[in-house]
Structures are given as structure tokens and as C-alpha cells.
Amino acid sequence: RSLMQGELRDAVEARLSATLGEPVSIGQLGVSLLPRVTLSGTGVRIGDAQAQAPGVTVESIRILPRTRTLLSSNIVIEQVELEGFVVSVLHDAKGWHVPSAVPAPSAGAEGGVAIERVRVTDARVRVFDRAAGGEVGERASIDDVHAEVVVDGSGIRLSSIAGQIGDAQISGEARVDAREVRLDLTAPRIADGDLPHFLRLLGTERPAFLRIPQPASLGASLRVDRSSSRLSGTGKLGAP
């Protein structure tokens, strides 16, 4: 027990922190040896544990390493499974702030951890606003997100994204690297009541004149420049 909760957890946290460039904390960590070596953790936090946003939290994590690499300086993780993965984005007077952690080691990175595949399930993207007085409140969210994540030498790519905004089903892809975050979303059918949820993701409210009398399709392409914290994008609302 003390090994799982102490030395082993510290070693895994240190390894992940060095890889991500952000402090990683794991509430509980266990190890199973059969049928294969698996590390299972809960209460995972990436980034400032005191900050609600920007930040990343994970309800549980399963790490499946390639056993033959565990004693080498270059550990290869065959798959990371993230359940309850929540990315919190902050919008304030200075712009848009996304979590800075970007897992981008290469398979041959000396002294690093190479991650071959990541899967996320039951994930959420939460958007928070900071008011002039300093209060932070949740403004919008993308819920029930599932995606396949591919890690390469420059960043991460999320493919086959499926999720929900309001009551509308969405699909798309995303790209995250050290310079920017890109997100392309489509919703084949959104109702008038769903439109405010989409617009709040962009930090704005629906204009009084904008109404959808019948369900319509919507497509959006968004980009957050990480150096300037600026959001840009385009959108297209299909005719009902």
C-alpha cells in the first residue's frame, strides 16, 4: 500500500510532469500485474491544482506500458485511457486561456515517455468567464465527448470527436500544439434552443434578431492563438 500511494505515485507524477511540462498530481494510484502490467489512477490533475480554469482534470486513468521498456530510460506507453476527462477554458478581459499541457514526446525521445495512443470517454469541455470583479462562472460546455487521440512530435490530434452541445449532437476534429488550438465542429441538426449554447462557447450571447424557426445544420471552425490568447473562427448556419 505504501509503495502504491507513495514512491510509485511520486515517480509516475514526476515522469508525467516532465513529459507534459505541467505539474501532474494523482490522488490514488494502483498497479496490477495480470493479465498485463497496468497502472490505474484516480483524482488526476494536470496544471495548477488550485485553479478551476484553465485546467485539466481526469476522474480515472489507465496506463498500459510496454513491459519491456519499463526498466529503460525511454518508457513506451502503448495506450492511455482517460475517463471523465475535463478540459476547462477561461475567458476574461485579456482573451482566451487554455491549459498549457501538451503531451508531445516522440517515440525515440531520450529520457522521455512516448505515448502511442490515447482514448477519452465521458469527457467535457467547460468554458468559464471571469467577470470584472474577479468572479468565475461556467458559461457553456461540450458534454459526453468521446474521441481518439493521436500524439506526434508536434502535439495532439483528436479525431472522430462525438459529443453534445445543448441537445444537439456534434462531431468534428481538433488539433492542439504549442502554438494554437484548432477545433472544427459540425452539427447536422440544431434547434433554436441549442443556438445560445453554441454562441456562449464563443463568449457571446445570441442577438435578439437571430432565431431558427426550424432545425438547421451548423458548422464552425475555431482557433485559439496561445501566444496572444485570441480566439478567431468562422461559422456557417445552414438554411432550415
Side-chain angles (χ1 to χ4, degrees), residues 141-146 162-171 198 201:
S141 65
I142 306 175
D143 302 307
D144 195 25
V145 176
H146 295 69
Q164 186 171 316
I165 300 177
D167 291 326
Q169 300 297 316
I170 60 100
S171 61
F198 279 87
L201 287 171

Side-chain angles (χ1 to χ4, degrees), residues 52-54 87-97 125-141 196-197 199-205 229 231:
Q52 187 175 35
V87 178
S88 298
V89 178
L90 177 65
H91 177 234
D92 61 16
K94 296 180 180 180
W96 294 81
H97 310 280
V125 178
R126 306 174 70 191
V127 177
F128 290 84
D129 260 353
R130 175 179 287 142
E135 300 85 2
V136 176
E138 184 173 351
R139 184 181 187 90
S141 65
H197 297 284
L199 293 175
R200 286 172 187 150
L201 287 171
L202 306 179
T204 187
E205 294 293 335
S229 298
L231 172 71

